[in-house]
Amino acid sequence: MTDAVSTSCIAPGSTVLSIQSHTVTGYCGNRCAVFPLQLLGLEVNAINSVQFSNHGAYPTVKGQRLDGKDLTDLADGLEANGLLWHDYLLTGYIGTASMLETIAALVKRLRGLNSNLQYVCDPVLGDKGRLYLPQELVPLYREVILPLADTITPNAYEAELLSGVAVRSEEDAVKACEALHGLGPSTVVITSLEGGEAGGPVVMMASTRVSQEDGLPQRFKLELPRLDIPDFAGPGDLMTALLLGWSHRKPGRLQEAVVAAAASLQAVLQATTAAAGPTAFQTDRSSEVLKQRELRLVSCQDSIRKPPVSDFNAKPEALP
């Protein structure tokens, strides 16, 4: 694998409908998805499930939320003008039951126009044992959304919530992937596994039942060096967008797509930490500190276009 992944030969006219959160300032949700996907050659149409002044870690958050009727109205307008046809649907933070139910109906409408539509779902529910959303949304995701999704990108906690399998090891993660496949998605990428030795590598696990270039399904783990970085807002949103972008460029080569996406993500996180300096590690949650910790997407656009794969010594390993 070369250091600079080729960015040529983009299929013309490929479009993504991205439904997730939006912040006026900073980078999470659609702010983390639209720009990288455009850099990777995809046309992106964004619907903001919420529009907030900033992300939720700041002392004050103001803004508005869409409900299911709002989303239906937007879809109706697009369809009336012949604009609802898309190659991909990407969803992230949704937040309400009515929006999830409307998204399920929207997937069916989109597939009525394009039977080859690929639905990539980042089931934003929580992280590290903390649920961000009402408990009632978990069964909705499991029973209504996952049967419609082609690809899902949960973190370890979300994989646990949705699969019912306690994820404490790589063996548990394999069982969780199998359980999640059974709910519908043909491709599962668990973006972060907890546990392991302190200071050990970051581990991602990917499993697909879609035949790859060799004609076989695939399961593998990817180990990346653990960077000395703090927690940021937005890495999960960015990883899912990058995975969609590179999967589009590399059909049938999931391992290469995951490696490219992870390398770009690592580069953005490292650059953000360096730019923030000592502020990156302050525990103070003041607006000034959080502002310095926003992801540096624009200054890292070269690393998004050409992932620095060799810089991070990514080590994919096939699993049975």
Side-chain angles (χ1 to χ4, degrees):
M1 186 176 296
T2 60
D3 292 357
V5 180
S6 172
T7 58
S8 61
C9 302
I10 303 169
S14 297
T15 56
V16 180
L17 179 60
S18 180
I19 306 175
Q20 48 191 312
S21 61
H22 171 82
T23 56
V24 176
T25 185
Y27 290 93
C28 60
N30 268 330
R31 291 268 291 180
C32 261
V34 174
F35 180 59
L37 287 169
Q38 289 171 330
L39 287 177
L40 294 175
L42 288 153
E43 294 289 346
V44 187
N45 298 318
I47 293 177
N48 301 325
S49 58
V50 301
Q51 178 164 278
F52 289 159
S53 53
N54 40 263
H55 66 70
Y58 281 83
T60 300
V61 180
K62 298 289 186 179
Q64 304 82 36
R65 295 177 180 270
L66 256 64
D67 60 20
K69 182 181 182 305
D70 296 327
L71 178 56
T72 299
D73 287 346
L74 290 170
D76 288 347
L78 291 171
E79 188 166 32
N81 289 294
L83 301 172
L84 191 57
W85 198 102
H86 288 81
D87 296 281
Y88 298 95
L89 173 65
L90 169 64
T91 62
Y93 177 87
I94 301 303
T96 67
S98 73
M99 279 287 285
L100 277 180
E101 290 164 349
T102 305
I103 284 171
L106 179 59
V107 174
K108 295 170 186 175
R109 289 177 70 175
L110 290 167
R111 286 192 170 135
L113 296 171
N114 175 14
S115 61
N116 294 318
L117 175 101
Q118 291 289 300
Y119 175 20
V120 178
C121 173
D122 180 4
V124 180
L125 291 166
D127 196 12
K128 298 178 181 177
R130 184 168 72 91
L131 194 64
Y132 299 154
L133 302 175
Q135 179 66 41
E136 68 184 49
L137 267 62
V138 177
L140 267 178
Y141 266 104
R142 185 187 300 118
E143 298 164 15
V144 177
I145 297 297
L146 264 57
L148 298 171
D150 297 287
T151 299
I152 60 170
T153 59
N155 58 38
Y157 178 59
E158 290 160 347
E160 188 171 297
L161 286 173
L162 293 169
S163 69
V165 176
V167 179
R168 301 291 182 270
S169 66
E170 291 178 11
E171 292 75 15
D172 293 339
V174 169
K175 293 176 184 176
C177 285
E178 284 300 301
L180 291 168
H181 284 313
L183 294 173
S186 54
T187 300
V188 177
V189 179
I190 301 179
T191 57
S192 61
L193 296 180
E194 303 298 327
E197 297 179 4
V202 174
V203 179
M204 298 181 181
M205 183 170 292
S207 176
T208 184
R209 292 183 171 177
V210 177
S211 295
Q212 300 298 286
E213 280 193 332
D214 60 4
L216 299 172
Q218 189 177 70
R219 179 181 294 139
F220 62 93
K221 69 176 182 179
L222 177 67
E223 292 189 352
L224 294 158
R226 187 176 298 275
L227 302 176
D228 184 18
I229 58 173
D231 289 333
F232 292 113
D237 306 326
L238 177 57
M239 179 64 195
T240 300
L242 292 168
L243 178 63
L244 190 163
W246 284 109
S247 295
H248 171 70
R249 287 176 174 273
K250 296 175 171 294
R253 291 182 285 167
L254 179 63
Q255 183 170 294
E256 290 184 33
V258 171
V259 168
S264 289
L265 175 63
Q266 293 277 84
V268 171
L269 295 177
Q270 193 172 62
T272 301
T273 303
T279 305
F281 297 93
Q282 290 184 18
T283 56
D284 175 18
R285 291 284 179 166
S286 69
S287 295
E288 186 54 39
V289 167
L290 293 171
K291 179 181 177 182
Q292 294 302 315
R293 291 171 53 153
E294 297 286 5
L295 298 181
R296 303 309 206 266
L297 290 193
V298 174
S299 61
C300 289
Q301 57 187 281
D302 287 345
S303 294
I304 293 171
R305 289 193 186 97
K306 297 182 178 180
V309 172
S310 64
D311 290 358
F312 295 95
N313 195 27
K315 297 177 179 179
E317 177 184 332
L319 296 173

